[in-house]
Every structure is written in C-alpha cells, then in structure tokens.
Amino acid sequence: MNLTSGTRMLLVALTLAGSVLVAPAMALAETPANDEPIGPDDLANPTENPEPEPCDEPGDCLANPTENPEPEPCDEPGDCLANPTEDPGPGGEGGNPEPPADVDEPVLANPTFTG
Amino acid sequence: MTTRTPVRIALAAVTLTLALAACAGGTPDTPDAAPEPAPPATPAPAGETAEQDALVARAATDLAVFAQPGDAAPSLTLPATTGFGSARALLVDTVDGDWLRVLLPTRPNGSTGWIRRGDVELRRVDQAIEIDLAARTLRLLVDGRVVVSTPVAIGTPDNPTPTGRFYVVDKLATGDPDDTYGPIAFGLSGHSVELSDFAGGDGQIGVHGTNDPASIGQAVSHGCIRVANDVITQLADLVPLGAPVVIG
C-alpha cells in the first residue's frame, strides 16, 4: 500500500495517542480495590508487626523485661529455704549447730550431800 | 527504626540518674541525715561478773578422760550417768582443737581432765549461780542478769563450805517437801575439805531446800548451801546440769 508521508505520520501519531490512553486504563483494571484510603497515619504506623529488638542495652526493656528480674526478698517464713538470705542463727555458717540448753528434770533419788 | 535507639538511650540515662539519686538519699553518711539517738547507757550492777555462755559437754556413753591431749590411754573413765542417775554433764574450761579441758567432779576440788570433742555434745549454758559466803546469799544470773537473789545457810567454821568454781552435777527430787534436803537437791562438783564422807556419801557439796527454814541465813550446815523450798523449786525450773556455780 502506498502511503504518503503525511498519512504515515498521521498513523504514527494515532498509534501513540492510543497507547497513551489505553495504558492507564489497563493499569487501573489490574489494581485491586482498596476499601479505605491510605493516609499519612498508615505510613507512620505500619500494619505489620516488626520483630522485637533484643534487650542488649541497659534500659532497653524496662517496660517489658526479658532478662531475669531481681530476686524477691525472703520476707516470709519458708520463702528462701533453698537459698536462704536470712541469718542462720547461732551455730550456722557451716558450723555445728548448738542446741539451746535444756533444763534437765530432777532425778528421783535420796541425796547424801553434806546437808 | 534508627530513631528509636537514641530515644532508648535517653530513657535509660534518665532512669539510671533517678535510681542513683534514690540510693544516695538513703545512705547513713548523708550530711543532712538525722542520726538515731544513742541508747541510754545502763551500767551493769556491781557483782554481775559471773561467766556467761559457758560450754557444757554432755556424754551419752561412758566417757574417757585423759591427763593430756593426745594421750594414748585415758586416766579415768566417767560413767554415762552419775551415781544418782543424773545425765553426765561437765563444765568446759578450755577448747583446744579437738580436745576439751573439763572440770572434773572428783577430789581434789578444781581437778581437770581432757576429753575428745567428738565424744560429747556441746551445749551453751546462759545460767550461772553465784554464792557469797560473807553475805550468805545466792544469786542466779541468766545472760548476766540477776533473776533470783536469796539468803542461804552455809557451812559452820568447822565444816566450811568450800570456795571455788564448780558446776551442777546432779538435780535430784526427794519426793518429800519435808525431807532434810527439801523437795529438790542440786549436787555440785565440789566436795567438803573437812569431811571425806557424810551420810553414806563422799562429802559432795549440794544446794538444796530444807525442813528447817529458820536456819536460812545461818552458818549451820556441814558445808552444803540451804535455800528455802520455794526457791530451790524455782531454781530447778531454771538451772540445767553443767551450769557454773561460783562460791566465794
């Protein structure tokens, strides 16, 4: 087909114009529908939960510590039987315990002391 | 996320600062801390010098006594109970490693011997009896405090009550408040110097009640110490075997 140069230029121009019009339409057709608009808050607070960072610095995890907390005081009898912090009392510290002196009961007998 | 680390460091610094400030406020050397008032000084009453926290060795079996620590053979064996049936108790004079020097309830007065620490059970005794022959009084001290003070009868000039450091060897119940010895009699580790035997015994000194309360306060005995029956009953509830008795 013999076309004049003017006709060929017109066809090229029409082709280009069609491409420009069709491409956005195809792009809109492939984009899923989003019920809610994306606002600035969504960008600042991503919906995905990131992995928690390790508590590798003092004070990192004050609100939700993952390290061992301070031991509780032994303020009730029996609290610290396994690891007592209270004074073990006389005879403690690894020594032989010395029981309190018992007051002996008298023995029934006839004395022969120097009255 | 890079903006969080500086925030955390700042929070940690604030927290640490507050914590240090709180600790510093409780230190006793803080200049503006009000010192606690010192307790008032309480001078010890005169005469309260009886030994405290004496050690008493209790033996459950016959006890070997040695003349010196480390001797191969004992010089004496004490039965597990006295001749009256009291449990064996000896006042400890010295602790030397695994050996204990004890006062012996044998003549002469003041005799000592050594026993092995592993052969006995050690008990701490807070009670001590002091007898003042000149004042004719007996005092019981517990933890250094006088809890009983009472007049006594003592030995006559011909049969004086021996002086020295002794201890309670026997606690006997006569079963009869009207007995010559009253309801209770303590046998001591000391013996009469003048009498080698008495009433079938070996002249052992005692602290006991009496059926002659009028004799209290007099020098009328053969060497024993007499107290009122209610007093000896009270002492029986307070004094264990082995408790020191100082007579002077």
Side-chain angles (χ1 to χ4, degrees), chain B residues 109-130:
Chain B
N109 292 337
S111 295
T112 62
W114 292 86
I115 61 175
R116 288 179 292 235
R117 187 170 187 162
D119 290 346
V120 295
E121 173 197 336
L122 284 178
R123 295 185 184 183
R124 197 167 292 283
V125 171
D126 299 326
Q127 300 90 336
I129 292 175
E130 288 183 347

Side-chain angles (χ1 to χ4, degrees), chain A residues 7-115:
Chain A
T7 301
R8 285 201 300 270
M9 288 184 64
L10 178 62
L11 287 173
V12 170
L14 289 173
T15 303
L16 288 174
S19 298
V20 170
L21 291 173
V22 170
M26 291 178 65
L28 286 173
E30 292 173 357
T31 303
N34 195 352
D35 292 337
E36 294 185 8
I38 297 174
D41 289 346
D42 296 313
L43 295 174
N45 298 308
T47 54
E48 293 180 1
N49 291 327
E51 287 292 321
E53 291 194 351
C55 302
D56 52 2
E57 302 228 0
D60 271 3
C61 298
L62 291 178
N64 185 23
T66 58
E67 297 169 357
N68 290 330
E70 287 291 320
E72 293 188 355
C74 303
D75 49 5
E76 294 283 338
D79 270 2
C80 297
L81 291 178
N83 184 24
T85 59
E86 294 172 352
D87 184 356
E93 301 289 334
N96 292 327
E98 293 175 355
D102 298 322
V103 176
D104 307 87
E105 289 294 322
V107 175
L108 187 61
N110 293 319
T112 56
F113 307 139
T114 57

Side-chain angles (χ1 to χ4, degrees), chain B residues 142-230:
Chain B
V142 179
D143 280 333
R145 295 183 304 163
V146 177
V147 296
V148 174
S149 181
T150 186
V152 297
I154 61 171
T156 65
D158 290 339
N159 294 297
T161 300
T163 60
R165 183 168 173 248
F166 308 107
Y167 58 97
V168 177
V169 173
D170 288 294
K171 286 176 67 176
L172 308 180
T174 65
D176 180 7
D178 296 325
D179 189 271
T180 304
Y181 297 93
I184 300 287
F186 291 176
L188 304 187
S189 58
H191 293 78
S192 169
V193 175
E194 303 295 331
L195 301 171
S196 58
D197 60 272
F198 183 85
D202 63 356
Q204 184 179 1
I205 298 296
V207 178
H208 55 76
T210 181
N211 59 0
D212 182 12
S215 67
I216 303 298
Q218 310 295 316
V220 294
S221 78
H222 290 84
C224 277
I225 294 96
R226 301 179 192 169
V227 298
N229 286 351
D230 60 337

Side-chain angles (χ1 to χ4, degrees), chain B:
Chain B
M1 298 301 287
T2 55
T3 57
R4 290 185 62 193
T5 301
V7 171
R8 289 202 306 266
I9 292 174
L11 283 174
V14 170
T15 303
L16 184 61
T17 303
L18 291 175
L20 290 174
C23 289
T27 52
D29 55 354
T30 303
D32 58 353
E36 292 187 5
T42 305
E48 289 195 7
T49 55
E51 60 185 305
Q52 300 174 34
D53 293 337
L55 275 182
V56 172
R58 301 284 294 249
T61 59
D62 292 355
L63 184 62
V65 181
F66 301 81
Q68 297 295 331
D71 279 358
S75 59
L76 171 71
T77 298
L78 291 173
T81 58
T82 70
F84 293 106
S86 300
R88 178 64 66 191
L90 302 166
L91 182 60
V92 177
D93 178 66
T94 303
V95 177
D96 184 4
D98 292 333
W99 290 86
L100 309 170
R101 188 171 71 178
V102 294
L103 300 180
L104 296 175
T106 57
R107 293 179 184 270
N109 292 337
S111 295
T112 62
W114 292 86
I115 61 175
R116 288 179 292 235
R117 187 170 187 162
D119 290 346
V120 295
E121 173 197 336
L122 284 178
R123 295 185 184 183
R124 197 167 292 283
V125 171
D126 299 326
Q127 300 90 336
I129 292 175
E130 288 183 347
I131 295 168
D132 185 335
L133 295 179
R136 296 177 186 171
T137 58
L138 177 150
R139 300 195 309 169
L140 170 65
L141 295 91
V142 179
D143 280 333
R145 295 183 304 163
V146 177
V147 296
V148 174
S149 181
T150 186
V152 297
I154 61 171
T156 65
D158 290 339
N159 294 297
T161 300
T163 60
R165 183 168 173 248
F166 308 107
Y167 58 97
V168 177
V169 173
D170 288 294
K171 286 176 67 176
L172 308 180
T174 65
D176 180 7
D178 296 325
D179 189 271
T180 304
Y181 297 93
I184 300 287
F186 291 176
L188 304 187
S189 58
H191 293 78
S192 169
V193 175
E194 303 295 331
L195 301 171
S196 58
D197 60 272
F198 183 85
D202 63 356
Q204 184 179 1
I205 298 296
V207 178
H208 55 76
T210 181
N211 59 0
D212 182 12
S215 67
I216 303 298
Q218 310 295 316
V220 294
S221 78
H222 290 84
C224 277
I225 294 96
R226 301 179 192 169
V227 298
N229 286 351
D230 60 337
V231 172
I232 196 65
T233 302
Q234 183 183 11
L235 293 177
D237 291 336
L238 299 173
V239 179
L241 293 174
V245 179
V246 177
I247 302 176

